[in-house]
Amino acid sequence: MYSILFIIGICHLLNDSLQAVIPAMFPILENSLGLTFTQLGLIAFTLNMISSVMQPLVGIYTDKRPIPYALPIGLTSSMFGMLGLALAPNFWMILLSVVFIGLGSAVFHPEGSRVAYLAAGTKRGLSQSIYQVGGNAGQALAPLITALILVPLGQFGAIWFTLVAALAVMFLSYIAKWYAKQIKIFKSKKRTQTERKPNKNVSKAIKGAIIILIFVTFARSWYSAAISNFYAFYVMDNYGITIANSQVYIFTFLAMGAVGTFLGGPLADRFGKRNIILFSLLGSAPLALVLPYVGPTIAILILAVIGLMLMSSFSVIVVYAQELVPGKIGTMSGLIVGLAFGMGAIGSVALGALIDFFGLTSTMIMISLLPLLGFAALLLPTDKKVKEWYT
């Protein structure tokens, strides 16, 4: 069902570009409303925590009671949030608008992942990659959004993104009609899967595998947060590069991350999900260790390769988690993707504190060790073993 997959991927791009508007607006809001860095931090924390904490809750509920039209309803919430963001006269109105955008994102992600699962056929890795790459591309648009829209138009420029949200609502209304027709098939598959319950030993192994996936997600999310939020400052301090040019490094990392997200799925379909998860972190670990010590030109090339390799496991971990607990598609996708958002939010706060305490260079050297935590993926059961548990 490639038409469905491409539409839901485009909607993921639109949804995550709405989220990207918020941090992109920080310099604008600082000037227009006189917000402090503490207030800006609270805005980022609110967005990420609402969208992350609510995702598994939405997934648990919709696993029991699928709601096809939750998708357009969620993006309608984001549309009102963008309207509020454009017109907000003070910090509290900004915060309320961010809550609406966070709720819309929390509804979209687990339900969008379920649509990708239902449309996948046998190519679950590829389908999840098509879906996830839209989100990564949307996040990578933040530097462009800042330069092309928010700088010339200011806070009110966010009004244009209500049109982006409205377009997503239209696409998702079409998806919802298709989704509604799939509910009976979805329920019958779910009943079949719940009949094949694993024994107690296997249940313990599944719980252990989920804990390892969470650990791996933590390592990837914190490293990504460090690069996305603070590497520009490192570049400016160590290479004497301007603010505008420093954004090229971040865009390179995020854009190549989007490419890696797309490639990871089909590679996992061919070589195995566990293998790609291992390759993603351990393959990027040597480059991450070298990155703080190279010059500006080599750094941008290394960042491109790290982004490509590190993010290749993004969609793969989601599919692996879904196959660990079949019949709980929304719950598992909400858990893994929600954790990625939540850990990124907590990581930003924690890493900022580390930079204040140890300094920027020392912190960048410390975070270069994070991909080495990918060795934990060696403890994951193989794809073959997971299939045996349910046959």
Side-chain angles (χ1 to χ4, degrees):
M1 298 294 297
Y2 284 106
S3 60
I4 296 296
L5 289 172
F6 286 128
I7 292 172
I8 198 67
I10 290 169
C11 290
H12 200 178
L13 185 152
L14 298 176
N15 177 82
D16 282 28
S17 67
L18 297 179
Q19 284 189 268
V21 169
I22 295 169
M25 282 188 71
F26 281 177
I28 311 297
L29 295 174
E30 184 189 10
N31 290 328
S32 64
L33 300 178
L35 300 186
T36 66
F37 283 103
T38 300
Q39 288 174 318
L40 294 175
L42 284 171
I43 291 169
F45 184 78
T46 300
L47 173 68
N48 285 303
M49 289 309 294
I50 288 178
S51 63
S52 63
V53 171
M54 291 296 294
Q55 278 191 48
L57 298 179
V58 171
I60 290 168
Y61 183 84
T62 54
D63 277 336
K64 295 178 180 178
R65 299 178 183 86
I67 308 172
Y69 285 90
L71 285 164
I73 291 170
L75 262 292
T76 300
S77 172
S78 295
M79 182 170 65
F80 284 116
M82 293 308 303
L83 181 63
L85 200 62
L87 304 175
N90 54 51
F91 168 71
W92 296 108
M93 187 63 185
I94 292 286
L95 209 59
L96 180 61
S97 301
V98 166
V99 168
F100 276 94
I101 295 169
L103 287 172
S105 180
V107 171
F108 174 81
H109 282 99
E111 284 300 273
S113 188
R114 191 196 309 278
V115 168
Y117 182 91
L118 292 173
T122 58
K123 297 182 179 180
R124 291 179 184 171
L126 174 61
S127 68
Q128 195 67 30
S129 286
I130 293 172
Y131 167 67
Q132 294 291 355
V133 75
N136 288 63
Q139 293 166 17
L141 289 174
L144 300 180
I145 290 169
T146 303
L148 300 178
I149 299 174
L150 298 179
V151 170
L153 298 179
Q155 180 183 342
F156 189 71
I159 197 77
W160 289 102
F161 291 92
T162 59
L163 298 178
V164 173
L167 181 63
V169 170
M170 289 172 55
F171 283 142
L172 290 172
S173 297
Y174 172 79
I175 290 283
K177 292 178 183 178
W178 175 86
Y179 183 6
K181 293 177 183 177
Q182 302 297 312
I183 286 180
K184 290 183 180 179
I185 301 172
F186 177 75
K187 286 182 177 179
S188 66
K189 284 184 178 179
K190 190 175 176 183
R191 281 194 296 269
T192 302
Q193 288 161 345
T194 53
E195 290 169 1
R196 303 193 303 266
K197 292 182 179 179
N199 60 45
K200 289 184 179 179
N201 290 333
V202 170
S203 295
K204 288 181 181 179
I206 290 171
K207 291 175 183 177
I210 292 171
I211 291 170
I212 293 168
L213 287 180
I214 291 170
F215 188 70
V216 170
T217 301
F218 152 77
R220 190 194 64 216
S221 297
W222 273 47
Y223 187 82
S224 297
I227 298 298
S228 301
N229 295 321
F230 301 112
Y231 191 74
F233 296 100
Y234 179 84
V235 165
M236 288 186 286
D237 285 356
N238 286 271
Y239 304 145
I241 288 174
T242 64
I243 295 175
N245 288 336
S246 71
Q247 295 300 306
V248 174
Y249 288 78
I250 309 306
F251 178 75
T252 299
F253 176 76
L254 294 173
M256 292 305 291
V259 175
T261 299
F262 177 75
L263 295 176
L267 287 173
D269 287 336
R270 181 169 182 179
F271 298 108
K273 299 169 190 65
R274 178 179 177 270
N275 293 335
I276 295 301
I277 294 170
L278 271 169
F279 167 78
S280 169
L281 277 90
L282 297 185
S284 57
L287 295 173
L289 291 169
V290 169
L291 181 63
Y293 305 103
V294 298
T297 304
I298 300 298
I300 200 167
L301 296 174
I302 289 178
L303 271 177
V305 180
I306 291 175
L308 183 72
M309 297 176 73
L310 192 68
M311 298 309 293
S312 65
S313 64
F314 192 97
S315 60
V316 178
I317 291 177
V318 175
V319 176
Y320 187 92
Q322 290 172 345
E323 294 186 353
L324 277 175
V325 190
K328 300 290 183 182
I329 306 306
T331 303
M332 299 313 296
S333 59
L335 176 67
I336 298 299
V337 179
L339 274 171
F341 279 110
M343 287 179 179
I346 295 169
S348 297
V349 176
L351 290 164
L354 286 173
I355 290 170
D356 287 337
F357 190 79
F358 293 106
L360 187 58
T361 300
S362 297
T363 302
M364 283 296 157
I365 292 171
M366 285 189 284
I367 65 102
S368 69
L369 300 172
L370 284 171
L372 289 172
L373 298 179
F375 275 111
L378 289 167
L379 301 174
L380 289 171
T382 63
D383 297 41
K384 183 179 179 182
K385 175 64 72 176
V386 173
K387 288 180 181 179
E388 288 174 356
W389 287 344
Y390 294 98
T391 54

